[in-house]
Amino acid sequence: MTTVVDVLNRIARHCSIRSPSSWVTANEDEHVEIRDDFMRETVDDLLDPVDWPQPVGAQTTITGTGVATYALPADFRRLQRNPFSVYDVQLDAPGIPVTTDGDWVELLDSGIAGADRFYRLTGYEGAFSIEFEGAPDSDIILSYVTINWMATAGGTVGSAFTTEDDVLILPARLVEVGTIWRWRERKGLPFQDKYTEFNMLLGRYLNDLRGRRSVSFKRGKPVRWQDRVPAYIPEA
């Protein structure tokens, strides 16, 4: 596994900066900029466009208790960008997001939701909640992207670099190149090559994780799992 320190040292070499004796306690301006500004900006940019797998991505189950609003985990950053990121087990169907307050008020006032499960997100980082139209009394499964980008040597994931043996759980090369081009750009140095490399690498991860690459063994058209007959069909 690649430690955060390993990545920071490589970044320092590319930026012609001498690495500190400890990146955790370093307080020189150039080290603080790399560790707390440029690298964290890169991490934020990586968490936004890509639905990373676990442990950056996660799932949680909300046990419906007949109320409308439920707190989300403290590490919640955003829902994964797919139609099934909010899935109602009882309805066997994805939830439908409502993105504006006006639409939400109209939905509640009109009562036209029917059998669909509408929802909206409220709150802020560290204190997000999800609110449903029609208080659910069944399980809701949420697939989301966390704020986590590192882990301790013991495997506990987190979002803060605190010890020399913390490891990176995002692709090291992406974090490295993304930090370098930001440093160069802010210093008025040529950065286009690293910027292009960063976006090329990010594009590859986006393609891979969205399943755009496939191998055909000419066995006919695959059956979508969504079209299969469920094991349990409720009575009419």
Side-chain angles (χ1 to χ4, degrees):
M1 293 182 289
T2 304
T3 67
V4 178
V5 168
D6 289 337
V7 173
L8 287 169
N9 285 335
R10 285 199 295 269
I11 292 168
R13 287 195 296 272
H14 279 276
C15 296
S16 299
I17 292 173
R18 184 184 298 275
S19 295
S21 57
S22 169
W23 277 103
V24 174
T25 60
N27 56 15
E28 294 289 337
D29 287 347
E30 58 190 11
H31 299 140
V32 172
E33 283 181 335
I34 290 176
R35 181 192 63 205
D36 297 341
D37 296 336
F38 304 132
M39 187 174 72
R40 286 309 305 268
E41 288 173 16
T42 300
V43 167
D44 287 341
D45 280 355
L46 292 178
L47 293 176
D48 184 61
V50 184
D51 288 344
W52 299 100
Q54 295 181 357
V56 180
Q59 280 191 333
T60 188
T61 299
I62 294 174
T63 301
T65 58
V67 299
T69 304
Y70 299 84
L72 294 179
D75 65 353
F76 179 92
R77 179 182 176 89
R78 63 171 175 83
L79 289 171
Q80 293 185 10
R81 294 190 173 94
N82 68 77
F84 290 86
S85 59
V86 177
Y87 182 77
D88 190 303
V89 174
Q90 186 178 62
L91 297 179
D92 192 22
I96 301 173
V98 178
T99 57
T100 67
D101 291 338
D103 288 341
W104 187 255
V105 171
E106 180 181 5
L107 178 67
L108 297 180
D109 184 60
S110 63
I112 61 173
D116 294 318
R117 182 71 71 198
F118 289 86
Y119 70 90
R120 69 169 178 172
L121 298 180
T122 59
Y124 49 88
E125 186 173 300
F128 278 109
S129 296
I130 186 167
E131 183 179 0
F132 296 99
E133 188 285 328
D137 55 8
S138 61
D139 287 350
I140 308 290
I141 300 175
L142 270 66
S143 301
Y144 67 101
V145 174
T146 71
I147 61 174
N148 301 320
W149 58 275
M150 49 69 59
T152 66
T156 301
V157 296
S159 59
F161 169 51
T162 58
T163 64
E164 300 289 334
D165 56 359
D166 286 344
V167 298
L168 198 64
I169 58 174
L170 287 171
R173 184 62 179 166
L174 269 174
V175 175
E176 176 187 331
V177 175
T179 304
I180 293 169
W181 84 254
R182 284 174 171 79
W183 184 87
R184 289 183 179 178
E185 190 267 341
R186 303 290 174 84
K187 302 301 180 181
L189 299 171
F191 67 92
Q192 192 63 45
D193 58 334
K194 292 298 182 182
Y195 177 78
T196 300
E197 183 181 356
F198 174 79
N199 284 287
M200 179 188 68
L201 291 171
L202 180 59
R204 288 179 181 174
Y205 276 100
L206 282 167
N207 286 340
D208 289 342
L209 292 173
R210 288 173 180 171
R212 291 179 180 174
R213 297 179 182 178
S214 61
V215 177
S216 174
F217 294 100
K218 300 185 182 299
R219 294 182 179 177
K221 185 177 180 180
V223 177
R224 298 194 322 147
W225 65 264
Q226 295 96 331
D227 296 334
R228 296 175 63 87
V229 176
Y232 169 74
I233 302 177
E235 295 181 0

